[in-house]
Structure formats: structure tokens, C-alpha cells
Amino acid sequence: MVARRIHGEAGFTYVGMVFFVAMLGLVGAATLKVDTLLRRAAAEEDLLGIGAEFSEALRSYAAATPRGYPTAPPTLQDLLKDPRFPGTRRHLRKIFVDPITGKSEWGIVYQGDKVGVLAVYSLSQAQPLKVANFDARFLNFENKEHLSEWKFTATGQGVSVTAPNNIAPPPGAPGTQAPLFPAPGTVPAPGAPPPAPPARPEPGAEPPAEPEAPPAPQEPEEAPEQEPPPEPEPAPAEPAPAEPPQPVER
């Protein structure tokens, strides 16, 4: 009797141990998956930061281009040391390592037959976790299927200057022209060109005629005072009746 009870308890303990090990494995797998997703999200954020560095370097190279030279660097190495200037002039600190692939190799979009670097992108074909809520520099990165479609250009890839329908772009945005006569109390956007001064009349030209002032409203004439009607003349008095003649005494 005692042996049977001990055997039943041992079987129950074995089933419980198997169930506990299975639950522990599920929890560990879920934790590992969450950790992988967190690492991947952090790597994509690093990729955006490195891409912004490439965009700024391409923009700096184009801004420092002397007249007559191409504005796109032939290779990424020209961003480390600009050969157009004497001495050392850097637009990029170093060639970064791709946080997704773990390599320093990058995809490059060239201008024409590899005559100039226009954009830099990752060689990873993985599907991005981040598909929305990008920074203003990366508006065109939304809903991409592969990380290699995140192309970083000299303008930051995705700065849209076309406003939606019936909505005017903000003042000072690229591609817009500041108003010549801004509304009173408004401050011009930073970098906007100053308003053009009014054109001066050419010598000998007749000055523009001044607009005629509108005629002053005429005051209504006062109506002439009406004289009071003449008072009616009194009717003539009726003559008194003549007395009959009295007889004369003889």
C-alpha cells in the first residue's frame, strides 16, 4: 500500500516538472524574441543617425564646392579629405559601420556613370520595423519594404516642399518665395531674402498722378423759412340804421 502511494506521487512530480520546464522554455523564447526586436529597433535608430551624418557630409561637400567643380564627391573617401583644398578639410569623421549588416560596405547611388555620389544606403534587404513617425528629414521613408530603400541624400531624403492640396507651404520653406510686403507684425523666416525696395522712377519720367480725393458729401440745403399766413382783415362794421326824421313844429 505504501509502495503504490509513493509511485503515484513520483508520477505526479514528473508531470509537474515537465510542465514547469515547458513553461520556462516558452517564457525564455518570448524573452529572447523581445530582446531581438529591441536590438533590431535600436540598430535601425543607429542607421538613421548614421544616414543623417552621410547626408550632412554630402551637403557640406556641395556647399564648399568652388565654381566650376562638380558638387557630388567621386567617392566616399573624398568626404574624409576634400582633395579640392590644400591641407585637410573633412566633411565626414569616418566611414561608419552599417549597424544592420555589421560591415563598412554601403550601397551608393551614383550620378551618371559613377561620376559622383548622390546617396548612400544600407545593403540589408531586411524588412524594417519602423514604418512611420519618421523625423522631418526622412518623410519618404514611410512604408518601405526593405531597409535598402532608405536612401540618404544631400538634402536629407524626404524633405517635401510640395504642400498638400489647398494648403500653402510654410513661409521660408525651400522652393517658396517670401512675400514682398509681409503683413504688419510678421517676422521674416530665417534665411528668407529681404523684401525688394520699391522701384524708383526714371529721370525725366512724369510722376504718377495722385489719386483724386473723392468729392466731399454736400450738406443738404436748409429749407427756406415759411412766412406765417397773413391775419384775416376784420369785417367792416355795419352802418347804424338812420333815425326817421322828426316833424318840424310850426
Side-chain angles (χ1 to χ4, degrees):
M1 185 68 179
V2 175
R4 291 181 179 179
R5 184 177 301 176
I6 294 175
H7 181 72
E9 292 178 356
F12 178 78
T13 304
Y14 178 76
V15 173
M17 182 64 68
V18 171
F19 180 77
F20 175 76
V21 171
M23 290 297 298
L24 188 63
L26 293 177
V27 172
T31 304
L32 182 61
K33 185 176 181 179
V34 171
D35 182 69
T36 303
L37 293 178
L38 292 177
R39 290 177 180 271
R40 175 65 176 280
E44 291 185 3
E45 290 295 331
D46 292 341
L47 177 60
L48 291 176
I50 293 174
E53 293 278 351
F54 279 118
S55 296
E56 178 61 24
L58 293 174
R59 187 206 60 79
S60 175
Y61 185 95
T65 301
R67 182 174 300 179
Y69 285 81
T71 58
T75 63
L76 293 181
Q77 299 297 329
D78 293 303
L79 298 176
L80 300 178
K81 183 179 180 182
D82 197 336
R84 303 171 300 177
F85 299 93
T88 302
R89 183 163 185 174
R90 297 182 181 272
H91 305 282
L92 188 67
R93 296 185 291 110
K94 63 178 181 178
I95 302 298
F96 297 93
V97 174
D98 188 342
I100 305 298
T101 62
K103 301 178 181 179
S104 58
E105 298 179 3
W106 295 87
I108 299 176
V109 178
Y110 287 98
Q111 180 182 8
D113 190 13
K114 295 186 177 182
V115 295
V117 178
L118 295 181
V120 180
Y121 60 93
S122 173
L123 294 176
S124 174
Q125 295 298 320
Q127 184 176 1
L129 299 178
K130 186 178 182 64
V131 295
N133 300 326
F134 285 90
D135 190 73
R137 298 169 294 176
F138 315 117
L139 290 181
N140 290 345
F141 286 6
E142 296 181 354
N143 301 322
K144 298 299 183 182
E145 297 182 357
H146 305 284
L147 288 173
S148 59
E149 298 181 31
W150 291 2
K151 292 181 172 58
F152 304 95
T153 66
T155 56
Q157 179 65 29
V159 180
S160 177
V161 298
T162 303
N165 294 336
N166 301 328
I167 300 178
T176 59
Q177 185 176 4
L180 296 180
F181 303 99
T186 59
V187 180
R200 297 181 178 178
E202 298 181 358
E206 296 182 358
E210 298 181 357
E212 298 181 358
Q218 297 181 357
E219 298 181 358
E221 298 181 357
E222 298 181 358
E225 299 181 359
Q226 298 181 357
E227 298 180 359
E231 298 180 358
E233 297 180 359
E238 297 180 357
E243 297 181 357
Q246 299 181 3
V248 179
E249 296 180 359
R250 294 179 178 179

